[in-house]
Structure formats: structure tokens, C-alpha cells
């Protein structure tokens, strides 16, 4: 094998031209090895590169070695190449049989020489040549290999740099496209699915997931998950911040890296981790202003140390995701505002219509009241008709008040309030509804405290609240059932209150309506107006109280003491008089 100066110069020239001859670093390594074999008396040769994640040397290209040597990995310090990579110095072995560092790859090899590949003073690989002859390599051959390896390192380094620049350009282009796509999405789920899909195209990874903080900020829910093919995966996961390494990314608002998931106590995706072979994790917080609203996680199938460029890329993607999530919230508020405006328009129209109806009702109502008085009806005190007549007179008065209130809507209703026993109001309401309840096979039960609980309120309006709640229960139980009313005293942050609980044994509130049940025009009945519960809430708030849906069939797990999983339970409260 020739080793003259011209051969070496030709080899150096060919190696230096690699940047213009090829764009593939792996192809460049093969060409480099061919030049090394031509310039030196070697029967076999190889180039091994250092894997920064595993800290092992891996043979990338070889000549004259067995086929199974390709991909062979050696720990630093093991074998001649491992020793050279560890110490960063060349090594010549005249007789491999007497060398303790030797790692046998081929039986016929007798001598070996290896030189480290250095980039900016850092070992990135080793060029190794072998011979079947003893003492085949000396100082002259070492100088040639060192010279060729130095030029090869520069050429490969330039190719790697060009390749990295191309990758960064593609990643930047992908980020720009991702940003444009994300801000065009109006729905939260579409934003998260796009973010996970695009993240997988930025680096070679196995999974990408987005977790969002649950209300309360103590746990995370899996909001989106994409596999290596970019397709959305259906998977459910909830994580307590205190039980997961991801929690520290939320608390400290910094990226965290887990190199080996199998050797940590990180338990999320436990099923996927074993089936998909998840190895490493980069967790990036999604920051909206000064607080984290979730995390963007990327998982690799091989152990991988994420470099600064990769960290910056995912930090940028997480920022884009945060902006897009905030955009969806803003869009939701805009749509809600538009819906509110449309609802207000309907309410305004309804108010005008109500005023016209009230004006038309007032005259016949006055006639009915006068005619009732002229009948001069008298019944014995123990006759149920006497109570019915009293209720009729009271309700006619109530109707008159409603008409006047509609006509004089701007006037305050505070002057119409009086001190009432809420228990007595409930009993009057049940008495008013007794025939309706009997016909509907509804059994009422009222649990009253031993002493009267007084409130300052408008009796007709309180009865309107009770009527709406009880009649809603009646409509929900066409085959009959039970309505329980409970009256008790309690303490709130604003003082003593009187609490009324209304519970039925019906089918409960439909899931789609539960969070919006007190909105105007919302109804699940074909014959309903959707105003009953909205009016109840307005009346109670005007009385410095409020109402809530406590529980319903298949409702949340938090059920108050004595509660039931059947039917619906509403609770309203008012300030206690003098409390």
C-alpha cells in the first residue's frame, strides 16, 4: 500500500472537498475511511462517533470488519478506541495480544492504531485502523493518520454545522407555520392538538403531550396527546403536582429534563412508558403572563440529552401555545358577550311586551277583584273554602302588585318588603299547591325548625321562588314522587342566614344544562320559557341572597351530609332579619 507524500496530499485534498462533494455527514465518513485506507497499510478500519446521550462510542462506518461490527457500542475507556476517546490522545498498539485495552472485533488483527477526532478541543469520535501484521504502524503512519483525522474532523464539523443550520431553518419555518396555525384556531382543543402535532415534527420524538392546570391549581389534567405519527391519542391522565416531577416545572416556571424515566419515580404514562418504550422527557411550562397554566411535554424513545437549541425551540412553542390558549379564551368571551347582547335584546323586547300585557291585564283584574267583593262570600272558620277564599284574595292582590311592578319597573321594591316567617310562607305555598300535588301524585314533606325564622322580604316574590322550584320538580316527575323542603338557620361570612333546601326524586338536571341552569331562556321542556330559575336568582339576589344547584343525578362526587344521588337538590338562602 503506497504511503508517499503525493498519496497523502491527494487524500487531504479529497477530504477537504467533502463539503462540496456531499451534504450527507454519513456519506462523508465513508469517503474519509476510503482515503485513510488508501494512505495507510491497513487491512481494516473504522470510524466511531461519541453518542452524547449514552456516552458510548458507536461504530458508524467500517472497512474490512465483520458485518455485525456496524453499530457496535463501546463504553469510554474500553478497547483501544474507548481509551483514545476517554483520554483524547492517539494510541499505537504493535501487538494487540499484549495490550490490555484491546477489544477483539476480528481474530486476524495483530496491530492497531487510533486517533481522536477533535472539534473545538472536544472529542467527537475516533478513527481507527487495523492490520493483520505485527508492528504495522509506527510514528510515520501515526503522523499521517493524525493529519488525515484532523482534516476529516474539520470537514465533518463543517458538514454537521451546515446540517444543523438546515435543521434550524426547517425548525424556524415550522415554528412560524405553527404560530400562524395556532392563532387561527378558535377552539381550545384544536389549539392543543395542533401544538402536540407540530412539536413532534421539530425533533425525533415518540410522544408529545399538553397538561393543563385544573381549577384550584393543585393538579394537572391531560388535555392533548399525539403519537409519533402525529395522530391524536385517546388517553386519560390526572396528576397531582406534589406527586410528579412535572410539578416543579409549574412551581419554578422552568424547564425540567428527565434523562431516564425508567430509573425515576415519575409514574405518569406508566402504561405507555412500558409499551412505547419512553426513555427521556423534556417538560416545558406554558406561561400566561407570570403564571403557568400547564406544561408541554415531549418524550423520546431513546435516552436523549436535550441541547440548548432544542430547549429554546420547545420554550418558543410553549409560548406560542400560551398565546393561542389566551386567544381562545378571548374569543370565548367575545362570543359570550355577543350572546349576552342578543339575550339583552330579547329581554328588552320581552320587557316592552310585558308592559303592554300588564296594561291590558290591569283592567280585567280590577273588575274581577270588585266582583269578588260584591259576592259577599262568607264561610265558617273551619270550612276549607274560607282558607281558599283568603288565598284567592291574596293572589289577586299579588297579581295586582305584579302588574303595578311591571308598569312601574324603575320603582324600588324595598318599600313592599315586610318581616315574614319563612316557614309560614312555605306552608302557605304548599297549601296553594295542594291540589296540583295530589293530582300529580307528589308527596310533599316540610321539615320546619321549632322556632320561626324571620326574614325581611316581599312575600309574593318569595312565593314565586318557591312555586318555580316546586313546579319544576312536579314537571320532572310525571309518574309521581316526593318533594322534600328543609328550613334551617346557618352562619355565613356576612352573618346569620336562613337556608331552604328543595329536593325531589326526579331524573335530575341534564348534564348539558347544569352549568347554565340559571340563564334566561334556557329550558329542557318544550312548553317552558326558560325564565323560571333566572327569575328566582334575580329575586333572591335583590333580597341579598342567592340560589345554587347543590346536586343532581350522576352529579359531582361532593354530596353534602344527608344528600342523595337521586333527583335534583336546590338550595337558596336569605339574610335573617336582625342577623
Amino acid at each position: 500500500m503506497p504511503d508517499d507524500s503525493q498519496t497523502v496530499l491527494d487524500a487531504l485534498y479529497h477530504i477537504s472537498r467533502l463539503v462540496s462533494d456531499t451534504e450527507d455527514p454519513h456519506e462523508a465518513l465513508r469517503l474519509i475511511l476510503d482515503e485513510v485506507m488508501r494512505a495507510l497499510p491497513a487491512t481494516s478500519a473504522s470510524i466511531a462517533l461519541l453518542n452524547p446521550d449514552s456516552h458510548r462510542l458507536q461504530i458508524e462506518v467500517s472497512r474490512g470488519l465483520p458485518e455485525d461490527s456496524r453499530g457496535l457500542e463501546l463504553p469510554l475507556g474500553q478497547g483501544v478506541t474507548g481509551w483514545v476517546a476517554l483520554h483524547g490522545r492517539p494510541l499505537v498498539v504493535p501487538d494487540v495480544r499484549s495490550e490490555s485495552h484491546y477489544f477483539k472485533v476480528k481474530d486476524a488483527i495483530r496491530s492497531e492504531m487510533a486517533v481522536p477526532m477533535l472539534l473545538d478541543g472536544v472529542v467527537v469520535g475516533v478513527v481507527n485502523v487495523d492490520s493483520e501484521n505485527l508492528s504495522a504502524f509506527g510514528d510515520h503512519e501515526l503522523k499521517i493518520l493524525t493529519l488525515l483525522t484532523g482534516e476529516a474532523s474539520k470537514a465533518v464539523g463543517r458538514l454537521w454545522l451546515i446540517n444543523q443550520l438546515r435543521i434550524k431553518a426547517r425548525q424556524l419555518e415550522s415554528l412560524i407555520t405553527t404560530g400562524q396555525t395556532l392563532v387561527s384556531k378558535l377552539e381550545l382543543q384544536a389549539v392543543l392538538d395542533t401544538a402536540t402535532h407540530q412539536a413532534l415534527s421539530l425533533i425525533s420524538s415518540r410522544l408529545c403531550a399538553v397538561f393543563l392546570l385544573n381549577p384550584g391549581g393543585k393538579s394537572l389534567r391531560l388535555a392533548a396527546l399525539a403519537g409519533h405519527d402525529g395522530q391524536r391519542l385517546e388517553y386519560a391522565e390526572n396528576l397531582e403536582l406534589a406527586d410528579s416531577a412535572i410539578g416543579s416545572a409549574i412551581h419554578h416556571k422552568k424547564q425540567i429534563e428527565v434523562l431516564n424515566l425508567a430509573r425515576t419515580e415519575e409514574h405518569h404514562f406508566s402504561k405507555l412508558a412500558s409499551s412505547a418504550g419512553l426513555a427521556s422527557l423534556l417538560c416545558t411550562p406554558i406561561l400566561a403572563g407570570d403564571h403557568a397554566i400547564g406544561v408541554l411535554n415531549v418524550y423520546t424513545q431513546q435516552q436523549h440529552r436535550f441541547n440548548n437549541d432544542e430547549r429554546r425551540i420547545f420554550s418558543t412553542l410553549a409560548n406560542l401555545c400560551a398565546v393561542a390558549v389566551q386567544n381562545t379564551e378571548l374569543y370565548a368571551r367575545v362570543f359570550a358577550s355577543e350572546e349576552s347582547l342578543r339575550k339583552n335584546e330579547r329581554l328588552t323586547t320581552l320587557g316592552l311586551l310585558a308592559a303592554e300585557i300588564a296594561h291590558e291585564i290591569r283592567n280585567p283584574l280590577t273588575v274581577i277583584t270588585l266582583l269578588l267583593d260584591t259576592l259577599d262570600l262568607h264561610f265558617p272558620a273551619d270550612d276549607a273554602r274560607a282558607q281558599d277564599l283568603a288565598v284567592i284574595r291574596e293572589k289577586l292582590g299579588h297579581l295586582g302588585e305584579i302588574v303595578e311592578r311591571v308598569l312601574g319597573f324603575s320603582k324600588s321594591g324595598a318599600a313592599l318588603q315586610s318581616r315574614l316567617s319563612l316557614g309560614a310562607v312555605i306552608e302557605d305555598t304548599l297549601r296553594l299547591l295542594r291540589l296540583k300535588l295530589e293530582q300529580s301524585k307528589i308527596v310533599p314533606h316540610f321539615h320546619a325548625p321549632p322556632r320561626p325564622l324571620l326574614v325581611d322580604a316581599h312575600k309574593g316574590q318569595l312565593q314565586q321562588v318557591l312555586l318555580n322550584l316546586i313546579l319544576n320538580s312536579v314537571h320532572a316527575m310525571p309518574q309521581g314522587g316526593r318533594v322534600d323542603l328543609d328550613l334551617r338557620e346557618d352562619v355565613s361570612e356576612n352573618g346569620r342566614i336562613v337556608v331552604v333546601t328543595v329536593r325531589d326524586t326526579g331524573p335530575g338536571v341534564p348534564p348539558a344544562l347544569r352549568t347554565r341552569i340559571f340563564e334566561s331562556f334556557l329550558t329542557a321542556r318544550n312548553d317552558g320559557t326558560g325564565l323560571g330559575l333566572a327569575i328566582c336568582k334575580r329575586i333572591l339576589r335583590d333580597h341579598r341572597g342567592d340560589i345554587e344547584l347543590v346536586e343532581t343525578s350522576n352529579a359531582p362526587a361532593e354530596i353534602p351530609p344527608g344528600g342523595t344521588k337521586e333527583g335534583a337538590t336546590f338550595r337558596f338562602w336569605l339574610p335573617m332579619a336582625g342577623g
Side-chain angles (χ1 to χ4, degrees):
M1 185 81 58
D3 61 351
D4 57 90
S5 299
Q6 187 59 47
T7 302
V8 174
L9 288 174
D10 289 343
L12 286 172
Y13 173 74
H14 291 146
I15 291 173
S16 66
R17 282 185 50 84
L18 286 177
V19 176
S20 58
D21 289 343
T22 181
E23 296 180 355
D24 183 2
H26 189 78
E27 174 66 20
L29 292 176
R30 289 199 294 268
L31 295 175
I32 288 169
L33 205 57
D34 289 340
E35 297 299 331
V36 168
M37 291 285 288
R38 276 194 286 269
L40 291 169
T43 55
S44 59
S46 65
I47 297 179
L49 298 181
L50 185 62
N51 186 320
D53 295 323
S54 64
H55 289 285
R56 289 171 172 261
L57 279 174
Q58 182 173 344
I59 295 179
E60 296 291 327
V61 293
S62 63
R63 294 287 184 269
L65 294 178
E67 287 294 327
D68 58 3
S69 65
R70 173 77 194 283
L72 178 68
E73 290 190 351
L74 285 176
L76 292 182
Q78 184 174 339
V80 173
T81 54
W83 186 94
V84 169
L86 178 63
H87 295 87
R89 300 199 305 268
L91 181 64
V92 177
V93 180
D95 187 351
V96 296
R97 292 172 297 183
S98 61
E99 175 57 52
S100 60
H101 298 299
Y102 179 67
F103 180 86
K104 184 185 292 187
V105 177
K106 182 179 177 182
D107 291 336
I109 293 176
R110 291 293 177 265
S111 58
E112 185 174 358
M113 178 172 59
V115 173
M117 296 177 68
L118 300 173
L119 277 178
D120 298 325
V122 177
V123 176
V124 296
V126 175
V127 178
N128 181 86
V129 293
D130 312 301
S131 174
E132 297 178 2
N133 301 318
L134 292 171
S135 302
F137 310 113
D139 291 341
H140 179 67
E141 288 75 19
L142 180 59
K143 289 179 181 178
I144 293 175
L145 183 58
T146 302
L147 188 63
L148 295 178
T149 301
E151 189 62 33
S153 299
K154 294 176 185 177
V156 172
R158 287 192 294 270
L159 286 173
W160 282 344
L161 179 59
I162 293 171
N163 200 42
Q164 287 175 356
L165 290 174
R166 288 197 179 100
I167 291 173
K168 287 181 181 179
R170 286 196 297 268
Q171 290 173 339
L172 180 59
E173 183 180 357
S174 180
L175 281 175
I176 293 172
T177 304
T178 300
Q180 293 171 339
T181 304
L182 286 176
V183 297
S184 68
K185 302 294 183 183
L186 303 184
E187 295 182 357
L188 177 61
Q189 193 59 55
V191 165
L192 302 180
D193 289 341
T194 299
T196 53
H197 173 78
Q198 293 296 331
L200 292 169
S201 66
L202 295 175
I203 68 167
S204 178
S205 52
R206 183 67 177 83
L207 289 176
C208 183
V210 171
F211 287 86
L212 294 181
L213 273 177
N214 287 318
K218 294 184 178 179
S219 62
L220 290 159
R221 67 175 177 86
L222 177 63
L225 178 66
H228 66 281
D229 55 359
Q231 296 299 312
R232 179 181 178 183
L233 301 178
E234 296 299 332
Y235 200 86
E237 187 88 54
N238 273 283
L239 297 174
E240 295 294 325
L241 294 187
D243 298 338
S244 171
I246 296 174
S248 56
I250 293 287
H251 290 308
H252 301 292
K253 303 172 190 173
K254 292 182 179 179
Q255 289 178 317
I256 64 165
E257 179 182 358
V258 179
L259 180 61
N260 191 344
L261 285 168
R263 293 189 178 182
T264 68
E265 295 181 359
E266 190 61 39
H267 62 276
H268 74 280
F269 289 161
S270 52
K271 293 181 180 178
L272 282 178
S274 57
S275 61
L278 303 183
S280 299
L281 157 70
L282 179 65
C283 174
T284 305
I286 301 173
L287 301 176
D290 291 333
H291 18 256
I293 60 174
V295 291
L296 174 68
N297 288 359
V298 61
Y299 306 82
T300 62
Q301 204 164 17
Q302 304 294 330
Q303 286 191 26
H304 179 70
R305 292 189 183 277
F306 295 89
N307 58 44
N308 290 335
D309 287 337
E310 291 168 336
R311 288 172 174 268
R312 281 192 290 267
I313 286 170
F314 283 102
S315 181
T316 302
L317 180 60
N319 290 337
L320 290 173
C321 189
V323 171
V325 169
Q326 289 177 304
N327 280 345
T328 62
E329 293 175 352
L330 289 174
Y331 281 125
R333 290 176 191 171
V334 170
F335 294 149
S337 298
E338 290 178 354
E339 179 63 24
S340 178
L341 288 173
R342 286 192 292 269
K343 191 178 295 181
N344 287 338
E345 290 176 2
R346 295 174 67 188
L347 286 172
T348 301
T349 303
L350 182 63
L352 294 173
L353 181 61
E356 293 181 10
I357 293 173
H359 186 272
E360 295 299 321
I361 288 176
R362 181 169 58 178
N363 290 336
L365 187 61
T366 302
V367 173
I368 292 172
T369 304
L370 292 173
L371 289 176
L372 181 64
D373 290 337
T374 61
L375 292 176
D376 196 23
L377 298 174
H378 297 285
F379 299 100
D382 58 348
D383 192 328
R385 289 176 295 175
Q387 292 182 349
D388 291 343
L389 183 60
V391 170
I392 290 172
R393 292 183 184 278
E394 182 182 334
K395 292 301 136 187
L396 285 173
H398 184 201
L399 287 173
E401 291 174 2
I402 292 174
V403 168
E404 293 302 324
R405 193 162 65 248
V406 171
L407 292 174
F409 188 72
S410 61
K411 298 179 182 179
S412 171
L416 300 175
Q417 294 185 2
S418 59
R419 186 152 295 185
L420 306 169
S421 167
L422 192 50
V425 175
I426 294 175
E427 289 174 349
D428 288 347
T429 305
L430 291 175
R431 187 180 300 114
L432 182 64
L433 290 171
R434 73 181 190 280
L435 292 178
K436 177 68 173 178
L437 294 173
E438 289 176 3
Q439 292 171 356
S440 303
K441 298 179 183 179
I442 305 295
V443 179
H445 178 74
F446 174 40
H447 178 263
R451 69 181 183 87
L453 299 180
L454 304 179
V455 295
D456 291 324
H458 187 287
K459 182 178 180 181
Q461 291 184 352
L462 287 190
Q463 283 193 325
Q464 189 175 354
V465 172
L466 290 163
L467 285 169
N468 272 318
L469 292 175
I470 295 172
L471 289 175
N472 279 350
S473 295
V474 170
H475 286 296
M477 299 183 290
Q479 306 303 320
R482 178 185 175 102
V483 175
D484 293 325
L485 294 97
D486 178 78
L487 176 65
R488 62 184 173 85
E489 180 182 350
D490 205 347
V491 179
S492 74
E493 59 184 13
N494 297 320
R496 306 196 71 78
I497 58 174
V498 181
V499 181
V500 178
T501 304
V502 181
R503 180 184 297 111
D504 63 43
T505 56
V509 179
L513 304 184
R514 290 173 189 172
T515 59
R516 304 166 52 220
I517 195 163
F518 296 106
E519 294 182 9
S520 300
F521 305 111
L522 187 72
T523 180
R525 290 165 34 209
N526 294 330
D527 59 343
T529 63
L531 289 171
L533 289 175
I535 291 173
C536 289
K537 197 169 189 71
R538 180 181 59 78
I539 289 174
L540 290 167
R541 286 187 169 178
D542 287 345
H543 284 76
R544 295 182 294 121
D546 209 341
I547 185 172
E548 65 180 353
L549 173 64
V550 179
E551 64 183 24
T552 182
S553 298
N554 302 319
E558 296 182 3
I559 298 176
T564 173
K565 291 185 179 180
E566 185 179 32
T569 302
F570 288 87
R571 177 169 58 207
F572 70 85
W573 59 91
L574 295 165
M576 180 178 288

